[in-house]
């Protein structure tokens, strides 16, 4: 079946007891057993819950993996994946990541004996040089938050596999509608479902999808043992959001392209990071491995003062962290999403004090452009 059909139907057969067309919110912690050891497949909601199970099956189908796991947040999903590894293991991570991911690696997981190297995975030669005999994982976001750098997923997968390591891809910015990392050779796909999968800015969640049965068994064990599961209500909100993922993403993409083109021509804007622009250094790779470019854009205003003026002058775009909702959000990576990346590291990467990020929503794009035009006039 096609993507939209799967998004609407997989895991969502009519409720067997009532015929309800929508999977109910099974707001229950436990399940009554007929006799010792005899139950209907559910024992306790940390272990499994029918609403969460529906979402997990659905997301697995959309990403093309056999196993899906829903977590309490994107960070909880990333943390669960990292606990597949053990003290002494080495992980190579892309140098540009969501600031919270970098914070988890550097300020939590390092204390448990995992070791990290950071490299520019847009240039895989650099990542290749970072491999050690104990390297177990190559971890990338593509496109990256907020600089929209792109890693060649197929090449990164063969590089990792040549060194006996796995490849994990955070697919939050593209969603499975535009990019399917497992089909390109990745072993693990991660999401902050808070973003496009939910799509309506009304829930925090995370997901992991993979295809390998041994890894799947272990992650299922970790999900239950560590317990950072997504609740039934939040699972239901993501299920509901995913039904319109295809139409939303296609409108996000159209609006994203129009806003990026507007910004690229604007005299007050110095540099626009958007993979759909032919000037993006990896535009050709983006066309090859993604079927759209999405709606995340960052651009350079030249200084903190200019960035502040833009962020203060917008009326329709909302100044807020997060992304991927139907409404347009605008933010300042250096002091918001990437504040936990040390200033010198931010500067080295290009996350300057003048960088502004937009998550382009699906409002009428003329209204968004008029708002940005008005805001940029204050610079
Ligand atoms: O916020 P949470 O659901 O825990 O997801 C963390 C996360 C993981 N991966 C990527 C690529 C992300 O962008 C995020 C969260 N990002 C933001 C809140 C933000 O505004 O960029």
């Amino acid at each position: 079946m096609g993507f939209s059909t799967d998004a609407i139907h997989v895991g969502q057969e009519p409720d067997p007891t009532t015929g309800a067309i929508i999977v109910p919110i099974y707001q229950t912690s436990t399940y009554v057993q007929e006799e010792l050891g005899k139950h209907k497949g559910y024992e306790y909601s940390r272990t499994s819950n029918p609403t969460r199970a529906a979402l997990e099956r659905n997301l697995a189908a959309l990403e093309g993996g056999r196993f899906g796991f829903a977590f309490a947040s994107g960070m909880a999903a990333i943390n669960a994946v990292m606990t597949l590894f053990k003290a002494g293991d080495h992980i190579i991570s892309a140098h540009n990541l969501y600031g919270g991911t970098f914070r988890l690696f550097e300020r939590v997981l390092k204390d448990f004996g995992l070791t990290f190297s950071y490299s520019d995975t847009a240039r895989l030669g650099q990542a290749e040089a970072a491999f050690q005999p104990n390297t177990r994982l190559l971890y990338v976001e593509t496109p990256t938050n907020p600089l929209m750098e792109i890693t060649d997923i197929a090449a990164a997968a063969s590089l990792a596999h040549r060194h006996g390591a796995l490849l994990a891809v955070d697919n939050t910015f593209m969603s499975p509608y535009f990019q399917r990392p497992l089909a390109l050779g990745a072993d693990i796909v991660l999401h902050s479902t808070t973003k496009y999968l939910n799509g309506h800015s009304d829930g925090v969640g995370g997901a992991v999808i993979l295809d390998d049965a041994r890894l799947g068994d272990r992650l299922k064990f970790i999900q239950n043992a560590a317990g950072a599961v997504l609740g039934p209500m939040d699972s239901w909100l993501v299920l509901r959001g995913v039904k319109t993922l295809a139409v939303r993403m296609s409108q996000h993409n159209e609006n994203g392209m129009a806003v990026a083109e507007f910004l690229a021509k604007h005299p007050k804007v110095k540099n626009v990071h958007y993979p759909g622009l032919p000037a993006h250094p990896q535009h050709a790779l983006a066309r090859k491995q993604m079927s759209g470019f999405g709606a995340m854009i960052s651009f350079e205003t030249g200084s903190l003062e200019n960035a502040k003026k833009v962020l203060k002058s917008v009326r329709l775009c909302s100044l807020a962290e997060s992304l991927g909702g139907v409404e347009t959000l605008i933010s300042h990576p250096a002091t918001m999403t990437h504040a936990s990346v040390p200033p010198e590291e931010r500067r080295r990467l290009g996350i300057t004090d003048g960088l502004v990020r937009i998550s382009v929503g699906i409002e009428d794009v003329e209204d968004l452009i008029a708002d940005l035009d008005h805001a940029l006039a204050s610079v």
Side-chain angles (χ1 to χ4, degrees), residues 46-68:
R46 167 158 42 72
T47 314
S48 56
N49 169 282
T51 317
R52 193 177 89 224
L55 174 65
E56 293 176 331
R57 281 168 55 203
N58 187 269
L59 296 182
L62 298 186
E63 283 288 3
R66 281 183 294 164
F67 310 101

Side-chain angles (χ1 to χ4, degrees), residues 120 123-130 159:
D120 179 358
R123 290 165 193 78
L124 280 171
Q126 284 193 19
E128 171 122 55
L159 175 65

Side-chain angles (χ1 to χ4, degrees), residues 73-75 78 98 101 141 145 170 172-173 192 194-195 204-205 321-323 337 357:
S73 67
M75 291 319 305
I78 297 168
Y98 167 57
T101 307
E141 276 174 21
N145 181 355
D170 184 330
T172 298
F173 272 29
S192 166
T194 315
K195 315 295 161 35
V204 170
E321 305 223 6
S322 202
L323 59 109
T337 51
R357 189 188 78 177

Side-chain angles (χ1 to χ4, degrees), residues 308-326:
K308 276 187 175 165
K309 283 181 190 157
V310 171
L311 296 169
K312 201 175 154 55
S313 309
V314 285
R315 293 172 183 149
L316 177 59
C317 305
S318 303
L319 173 59
E321 305 223 6
S322 202
L323 59 109
V326 292

